[in-house]
Amino acid sequence: MKTKQLIITTLFITFFISASTAQKLDEFEVSPEWISKIERLAPNQPTVKNVSKKRILVFSKATGFKHWTIPHNIEMLKVLGKKSNAFEIYIRYDVENFSKDNLKKYDAIILNNSNPEGPKRNLFYDLLKQNSSLSDEDINNKAIEYEENLMDYVKKGGGLMLLHGAIVVQNNSKQFSEMVGGSFDYHPRQQKMHVKEVDANHPLVKAFKGKGLTHVDEPYFFKNAYFNYNFRPLLYIDADKLKGLREKPENNINYVSWIKRHGKGRVFYSSPSHNAQSLDNPEFLQFLLDGMQYVVGDLKVDDSPIGK
């Protein structure tokens, strides 16, 4: 009897472990074959055609958690820029790129999973700490300067696109949270989920054809300015369909992508996706390309906030 109970217990534990990890997708390296696949899947032309080519800085340096999709996103953005003939893509890693003079060179900035370390959650501080001999006081002051440079850049008309973990860039900054629409709170384990359009008729989610996106991802939850809903939401997930929640949220609708204005500039945030496998979806690639056209000002859409 004890042997039988032991076998049952072992099987249950094995099943539980398997069920809790089965949806974590395997990492893989960027390869010429994978890039060729993305080239085939990417849109043949932009939604808004015959526009002047825009310059986009893709900042891809992380000092904290390093998402394995960073190099995949770089190649994907290069493909979107080249195939659409709408963008010149510049990949950068140095904090000096956030000087006022340098930011003026670009029509938009894409923050590609630029996660800083916790608990400070300040990318500019981390980068300066790693790459300078300044005193801590000077580093703090310079980090504030770079943050203000980026916010001023957007306020005066620049575009800002944040991919997945980039929402954490200045996670403890109230003013940065207000600009980008929120701060990262936490996420349950990776799992298969159905991401739905808030308004299937909105031009920025037209690519999904009313069917949304089903994929394996980290379901992000947010805090701080998020609850002001000072943005136009694009995609959401039903919280009651998720497993492993820390607590039951007050609002079952959890927005995971949105757009908003900041002064004269435009912000686009997409929590999808933690995994490069999501890029195998041509509708998702179209969604990101449309987001790029939105932040540079080529694609005009309703970005009015829904508010509380």
Side-chain angles (χ1 to χ4, degrees):
M1 180 64 69
K2 288 184 178 180
T3 302
K4 184 177 181 181
Q5 288 178 336
L6 179 61
I7 292 172
I8 293 173
T9 302
T10 302
L11 289 172
F12 175 80
I13 293 172
T14 301
F15 172 79
F16 178 80
I17 293 174
S18 176
S20 65
T21 60
Q23 292 178 314
K24 183 177 180 180
L25 301 181
D26 292 333
E27 301 178 15
F28 61 88
E29 299 290 334
V30 172
S31 67
E33 293 76 19
W34 182 82
I35 295 174
S36 294
K37 179 175 66 173
I38 297 302
E39 288 173 341
R40 293 194 302 271
L41 296 174
N44 290 319
Q45 55 188 2
T47 297
V48 182
K49 308 174 186 65
N50 301 318
V51 293
S52 60
K53 191 174 287 189
K54 303 300 192 300
R55 295 167 56 91
I56 296 183
L57 183 155
V58 179
F59 193 79
S60 300
K61 179 67 174 177
T63 58
F65 183 83
K66 293 178 175 60
H67 285 82
W68 67 273
T69 49
I70 288 176
H72 300 75
N73 285 341
I74 288 173
E75 298 304 325
M76 175 269 295
L77 292 167
K78 287 180 180 178
V79 168
L80 292 182
K82 183 177 180 180
K83 197 169 180 182
S84 69
N85 199 36
F87 308 105
E88 293 179 0
I89 303 297
Y90 299 85
I91 312 301
R92 298 290 185 266
Y93 301 93
D94 298 326
V95 69
E96 290 80 6
N97 283 281
F98 294 97
S99 69
K100 283 187 177 182
D101 288 340
N102 192 72
L103 290 172
K104 291 176 183 177
K105 300 175 184 177
Y106 304 100
D107 298 289
I109 312 298
I110 296 179
L111 298 177
N112 175 20
N113 284 304
S114 308
N115 290 52
E117 289 185 317
K120 201 173 188 69
R121 297 293 197 190
N122 185 323
L123 181 70
F124 303 123
Y125 175 90
D126 287 355
L127 291 170
L128 288 163
K129 190 75 172 177
Q130 289 183 359
N131 300 291
S132 75
S133 57
L134 297 172
S135 68
D136 202 58
E137 181 181 358
D138 288 339
I139 288 175
N140 276 311
N141 291 334
K142 195 69 175 177
I144 292 172
E145 179 185 324
Y146 282 136
E147 179 183 353
E148 291 177 345
N149 288 348
L150 180 55
M151 295 189 65
D152 190 56
Y153 163 82
V154 179
K155 186 176 181 180
K156 290 181 176 178
L160 178 62
M161 185 172 181
L162 303 99
L163 298 179
H164 190 57
I167 195 75
V168 189
V169 163
Q170 298 295 104
N171 212 56
N172 296 327
S173 167
K174 180 179 178 181
Q175 61 179 7
F176 198 83
S177 180
E178 290 173 350
M179 178 180 74
V180 301
S183 303
F184 174 75
D185 189 7
Y186 82 105
H187 67 77
R189 64 174 172 82
Q190 292 190 57
Q191 54 196 283
K192 189 174 182 179
M193 66 185 74
H194 184 201
V195 180
K196 304 175 185 178
E197 305 99 318
V198 175
D199 175 6
N201 294 318
H202 194 282
L204 274 180
V205 296
K206 187 178 179 181
F208 297 116
K209 303 179 179 66
K211 299 177 182 179
L213 172 67
T214 299
H215 68 158
V216 174
D217 200 4
E218 295 173 333
Y220 268 24
F221 285 82
F222 307 94
K223 60 182 180 180
N224 297 339
Y226 171 83
F227 293 104
N228 296 327
Y229 299 114
N230 190 26
F231 49 70
R232 172 64 46 175
L234 301 174
L235 300 173
Y236 74 98
I237 46 179
D238 292 312
D240 60 3
K241 300 292 197 304
L242 301 173
K243 299 176 182 179
L245 297 184
R246 188 170 66 191
E247 57 189 6
K248 183 179 179 180
E250 293 183 10
N251 189 350
N252 187 56
I253 294 177
N254 184 55
Y255 300 120
V256 293
S257 178
W258 57 77
I259 53 175
K260 68 186 299 291
R261 298 302 295 261
H262 179 70
K264 296 179 180 179
R266 294 152 302 277
V267 176
F268 172 99
Y269 174 63
S270 173
S271 173
S273 174
H274 178 82
N275 297 304
Q277 285 85 346
S278 300
L279 300 178
D280 290 353
N281 187 311
E283 288 80 17
F284 185 51
L285 295 176
Q286 179 70 63
F287 172 67
L288 295 177
L289 179 60
D290 288 340
M292 293 165 73
Q293 285 212 289
Y294 165 73
V295 295
V296 299
D298 289 336
L299 182 54
K300 312 294 183 183
V301 301
D302 180 9
D303 52 14
S304 58
I306 57 170
K308 293 184 179 181

